[in-house]
């Protein structure tokens, strides 16, 4: 029997810092989730906002179990089955929630409309099973020796499926942008639709940058950096994910200065005073009575 061990534990030099890294990032995500929930308590919100909060808490929990899993691997030489199972479950939930939330925001659900078209529902029918497959591939990779043949097969499957999922969530954003472009010139609410169009264009760019960095740039950096510093790859991925979460929350935040709340949501909010008269002698004179919400008016002729 041959036992390989570093002075600080069973993990390699590139993996020893990961346990602390995941624990620190879990604390950061948990703090961000608390701040987000605090903001939700002060404004009128959509259901998608609570889903975003659930995603942040699930991400934090997943990182905690990931940290515990690495801790036992480092101290015992192998993962503890119970903690590993908890990590895989939370990792699966986090992945599913991430792509569902991004796709719902991309379709404009709750922000632009309250129903999903058949074309948009098909995206979820594709993305969710692919996410399950991606997580199965990830679990097999984590529990398989790197020298085995199936390790590289499942690694390629994971990379391909992950790219397909990332590409699929871009389609709803493109459809929303096209819908807002058409609506801005036809429904008489050009200002409101142009604000939403600008917001979704920024969101599209954010998703593309996030995918490009975490799936391409970070991997290239991992290949080029020295072995003992390869843990920086995980650090860059987690930090970029945190930045992406924060920017998404900021863009779609429930606040008084949000473009959705700044602009009128229906044509009744646009106030157009009309003059009602019954006598040519008193033409141009009217009495207007407004209710508390400013939307209903009772107009009486002045005698």
């Amino acid at each position: 029997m041959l036992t390989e061990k570093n002075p600080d534990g069973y993990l390699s030099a590139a993996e020893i810092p990961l346990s602390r890294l995941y624990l620190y990032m879990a604390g950061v995500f948990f703090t961000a989730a608390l701040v987000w929930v605090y903001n939700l308590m002060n404004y009128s919100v959509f259901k998608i906002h609570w889903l975003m909060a659930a995603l942040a808490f699930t991400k934090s929990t997943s990182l905690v179990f990931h940290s515990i899993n690495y801790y036992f691997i480092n101290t015992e030489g192998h993962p503890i089955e119970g903690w590993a199972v908890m990590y895989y479950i939370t990792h699966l939930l986090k992945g599913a929630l991430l792509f569902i939330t991004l796709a719902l925001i991309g379709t404009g659900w709750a922000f632009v409309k309250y129903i999903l078209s058949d074309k948009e529902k098909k995206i979820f029918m594709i993305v969710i099973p692919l996410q399950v497959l991606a997580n199965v591939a990830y679990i097999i990779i984590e529990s398989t020796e790197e020298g085995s043949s199936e390790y590289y097969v499942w690694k390629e499957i994971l990379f391909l499926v992950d790219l397909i999922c990332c590409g699929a969530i871009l389609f709803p954003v493109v459809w929303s942008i096209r819908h807002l472009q058409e609506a801005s010139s036809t429904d008489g609410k050009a200002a409101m639709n142009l604000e939403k169009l600008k917001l979704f264009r920024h969101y599209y760019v954010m998703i593309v940058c996030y995918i490009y960095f975490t799936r391409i740039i970070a991997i290239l950096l991992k290949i080029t950096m020295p072995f003992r510093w390869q843990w920086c790859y995980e650090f860059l991925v987690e930090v970029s994910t945190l930045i992406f979460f924060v920017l998404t929350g900021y863009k779609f935040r429930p606040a008084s200065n949000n473009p959705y709340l700044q602009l009128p949501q229906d044509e009744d909010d646009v106030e157009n005073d009309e003059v009602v008269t019954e006598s040519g002698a008193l033409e141009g004179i009217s009495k207007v009575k407004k209710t508390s919400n400013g939307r209903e008016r009772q107009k009486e002729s002045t005698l």
Side-chain angles (χ1 to χ4, degrees), residues 121-140:
K121 290 178 182 178
K122 290 178 181 178
I123 292 293
F124 290 94
M125 295 173 63
I126 294 172
V127 169
I128 295 176
L130 285 178
Q131 268 300 295
V132 174
L133 177 60
N135 281 277
V136 170
Y138 178 80
I139 293 171
I140 293 176

Side-chain angles (χ1 to χ4, degrees), residues 102-118:
L102 295 183
L104 284 175
I105 295 176
T107 58
W109 183 71
F111 296 114
V112 178
K113 56 191 175 183
Y114 290 93
I115 57 173
L116 298 175
S117 64
D118 293 336

Side-chain angles (χ1 to χ4, degrees), residues 266-274 287-300:
D266 53 71
E267 296 190 10
D268 291 338
D269 291 337
V270 182
E271 297 184 359
N272 293 315
D273 293 335
E274 297 179 0
K287 181 181 178 182
V288 180
K289 181 180 179 181
K290 293 186 180 181
T291 59
S292 58
N293 60 10
R295 294 189 180 186
E296 297 180 358
R297 299 186 176 194
Q298 179 181 355
K299 300 182 180 180
E300 302 174 354

